[in-house]
Amino acid sequence: MQLLLDALLRNARDRADAEAFTDDTTALTHGEVAVRVAALVARLAPEHRALGLLAPNGVAWAVAQLACACAGRTLVPLPTFFSAVQRDHVIRDASIDCILATPDLIERAAGHGVAVQTLDIDARADLQPEAAGRFAQVIYTSGSTGAPKGVRHGPRQLGWMTRALAQTVEARPEDRYLSVLPLPLLLETLCAIFIPTLVGARVRFETGLPERIGTGRLSGLAEVFDRHRPTMSVLVPQVLAAWVGELEAMSAQAPASLRFVAVGGAPVPSTLADRAWRAGIPACEGYGLSECGSVVAVNVPGRRRTASVGRPLPGITVSVADGEVLVEGPTLMDGYLGGERPAGPWRTGDMGSLDAGGFLHIHGRRDNLIVLTSGRNVSPEWIETVLLGDPDIAACGIAGHGLDGLTAVLIPTSAGERRFAASDPEDLRAFVRARCADLPVHAIPGRCLLVSREAAFASGLLTANGRIARKVLASLVLRDATPADALDA
């Protein structure tokens, strides 16, 4: 991808001794990044056109990502939290020729019937000024509701998103980005690797934190941010809630260095956003999906509207037809693997509206709509966002499609676990009724289930990025609501 190659060459010339990427074990300047990327490009076999990348968050991942972009290969991130079955599916589906893996993950990479190359970033070479071929990246979902589906983006989409986001957030060389989300997420790739490379900024990869987040162990966030004092970061609501809770418990404030913290991937309760700002976190809600380049709209400090996900990025056209959000623009994917390139606006499946100021509001997924036996239609995200406003709730899900009432499945924070330790079912119902007191009667859950974070991740109820898996949720609620013998019928 010429955009990144040009930036690497420019940084090596103008900012050679400035810090670029660091993690727990490695620190590289911009000059060192350029020579390490060049050496890895030289070691990629010409016949290996589609490369899987299996590595933890860190400097090695960033070097491999940039090398694949400069060499014009197709890169397919292989999340460390994928099972062997999921990896097998991705490797076959994307026709991966070779897996680049860090030494600690070589054994996991082996046994899939494709070549494996150890990801070594110690060698050095001169970076050439011309890119070789057309870079592409294929992003897979976690597969929690079925086989993962590959979304293909080329240099047109990735280059445009990098420039547009950098402009929107006013990225600059002085920025210090703290990366805490898994790099297989396209948004984290853009914000932790592409944008900092474009502007010559520096990035700290907190290597162990994404793994802890993926298993629900959300602790130590306040200490991490205070130690590194970044200017920017990207979070999901569950992580933001944990960080805010820690700050409130200590009567502390977030580092004054912060100027922009994007929050997306799930609805952000207005009460949580308000608490974040009071704690000194400039939390800005955003919205996007992989099929549309990961970011469609985002709030920014000074141009933020509460309860919205911000204005669409320049160049992206957002419209609403029959309540559904439609997206057009240069970030629209090349297509799913094996599928046609989409024509015309992309129907997101999200229900939303645009206000008079051009700010986008998301009201939930069309296919998540719950229809009760009374005929009432309920958007679960509406109720979930209300419940997530309580600091003792880390995640929650609402189910009840085809039933006579709603069930709330609550996943508490560490503080919430202590609070609910002695609660009986009626205590939980009273808690939910109090939080939902402003909702219509039919939208107040009549039943409640409490699930620990560990059990939620182990059962697949929570995906690795903290989202509720709707099919698992529905199955859990159905089992609890139906006599056991009826389930076998």
Side-chain angles (χ1 to χ4, degrees):
M1 196 160 99
Q2 196 67 42
L3 173 74
L4 294 176
L5 179 56
D6 290 344
L8 283 166
L9 291 165
R10 182 175 62 252
N11 294 336
R13 182 190 66 230
D14 299 339
R15 299 179 57 78
D17 297 327
E19 184 180 274
F21 297 124
T22 65
D23 60 25
D24 294 342
T25 61
T26 307
L28 297 182
T29 65
H30 284 288
E32 290 170 332
V33 169
V35 297
R36 307 297 177 89
V37 167
L40 183 53
V41 168
R43 295 199 305 276
L44 297 177
E47 66 272 18
H48 294 159
R49 305 307 305 173
L51 301 171
L53 178 54
L54 182 61
N57 271 38
V59 174
W61 180 297
V63 171
Q65 175 86 57
L66 292 169
C68 290
C70 292
R73 308 302 171 89
T74 294
L75 179 65
V76 187
L78 297 172
T80 56
F81 53 80
F82 267 17
S83 67
V85 172
Q86 289 174 317
R87 282 197 304 275
D88 267 331
H89 167 77
V90 170
I91 290 165
R92 292 193 307 271
D93 191 54
S95 300
I96 289 175
D97 301 308
C98 177
I99 299 174
L100 296 175
T102 47
D104 57 314
L105 294 173
I106 284 292
E107 289 188 10
R108 196 180 300 184
H112 292 288
V114 297
V116 177
Q117 179 177 335
T118 301
L119 180 52
D120 175 13
I121 63 167
D122 290 333
R124 300 163 180 261
D126 291 331
L127 197 62
Q128 300 303 308
E130 294 183 1
R134 187 178 187 275
F135 173 60
Q137 184 145 330
V138 179
I139 301 297
Y140 278 81
T141 62
S142 65
S144 60
T145 58
K149 183 182 291 187
V151 175
R152 181 182 173 89
H153 293 287
R156 178 177 66 90
Q157 295 95 333
L158 295 171
W160 193 95
M161 279 302 307
T162 300
R163 287 187 293 264
L165 273 176
Q167 178 183 0
T168 299
V169 305
E170 299 179 352
R172 59 198 70 161
E174 297 78 22
D175 276 326
R176 302 185 303 278
Y177 182 88
L178 180 59
S179 176
V180 300
L181 296 182
L183 281 167
L185 299 174
L186 178 57
L187 179 58
E188 195 64 14
T189 295
L190 293 167
C191 293
I193 299 177
F194 289 1
I195 292 174
T197 298
L198 179 66
V199 302
R202 50 179 163 158
V203 178
R204 167 70 190 197
F205 297 104
E206 194 62 19
T207 306
L209 195 51
E211 296 293 333
R212 298 210 307 273
I213 289 172
T215 55
R217 292 172 288 155
L218 300 175
S219 62
L221 289 156
E223 187 277 330
V224 167
F225 275 86
D226 190 61
R227 174 159 35 98
H228 297 301
R229 308 192 74 78
T231 61
M232 303 175 69
S233 193
V234 173
L235 306 176
V236 293
Q238 185 184 11
V239 176
L240 177 65
W243 183 16
V244 170
E246 288 182 8
L247 291 172
E248 291 174 339
M250 298 184 296
S251 299
Q253 288 280 294
S257 58
L258 286 165
R259 67 177 189 83
F260 178 75
V261 176
V263 188
V268 183
S270 295
T271 51
L272 173 59
D274 291 343
R275 290 168 54 213
W277 279 87
R278 287 196 297 271
I281 303 171
C284 292
E285 308 89 328
Y287 163 77
L289 56 167
S290 295
E291 291 86 348
C292 299
S294 189
V295 180
V296 170
V298 66
N299 281 293
V300 293
R303 301 190 302 278
R304 173 179 173 264
R305 181 160 295 179
T306 302
S308 82
V309 294
R311 290 191 178 102
L313 295 180
I316 293 180
T317 300
V318 173
S319 57
V320 178
D322 298 324
E324 184 178 7
V325 177
L326 277 59
V327 178
E328 293 182 88
T331 63
L332 197 59
M333 66 175 177
D334 280 341
Y336 294 119
L337 283 184
E340 298 292 329
R341 184 173 178 175
W346 179 257
R347 303 190 71 90
T348 65
D350 291 311
M351 308 301 291
S353 60
L354 288 162
D355 65 24
F359 287 83
L360 179 62
H361 300 256
I362 301 296
H363 307 311
R365 294 284 300 170
R366 180 188 291 275
D367 53 9
N368 288 344
L369 195 67
I370 294 171
V371 182
L372 300 173
T373 54
S374 63
R376 294 278 194 177
N377 294 344
V378 181
S379 173
E381 293 92 344
W382 175 35
I383 307 164
E384 290 162 359
T385 302
V386 171
L387 292 171
L388 285 169
D390 190 282
D392 288 329
I393 302 300
C396 68
I398 302 295
H401 186 71
L403 301 176
D404 58 3
L406 300 172
T407 296
V409 176
L410 306 176
I411 301 167
T413 62
S414 297
E417 288 180 349
R418 294 189 293 271
R419 172 181 179 175
F420 297 126
S423 297
D424 59 25
E426 181 51 42
D427 292 331
L428 289 177
R429 285 193 292 271
F431 168 82
V432 169
R433 284 197 300 269
R435 299 302 173 276
C436 299
D438 293 332
L439 300 181
V441 173
H442 72 272
I444 300 176
R447 300 171 57 252
C448 303
L449 299 176
L450 194 66
V451 179
S452 70
R453 287 173 294 172
E454 292 76 9
F457 280 107
S459 66
L461 176 61
L462 275 182
T463 66
N465 60 359
R467 293 182 181 179
I468 290 287
R470 297 287 173 183
K471 288 187 177 180
V472 178
L473 173 69
S475 176
L476 172 66
V477 169
L478 184 62
R479 284 201 309 271
D480 190 73
T482 311
D485 55 354
L487 290 177
D488 297 330

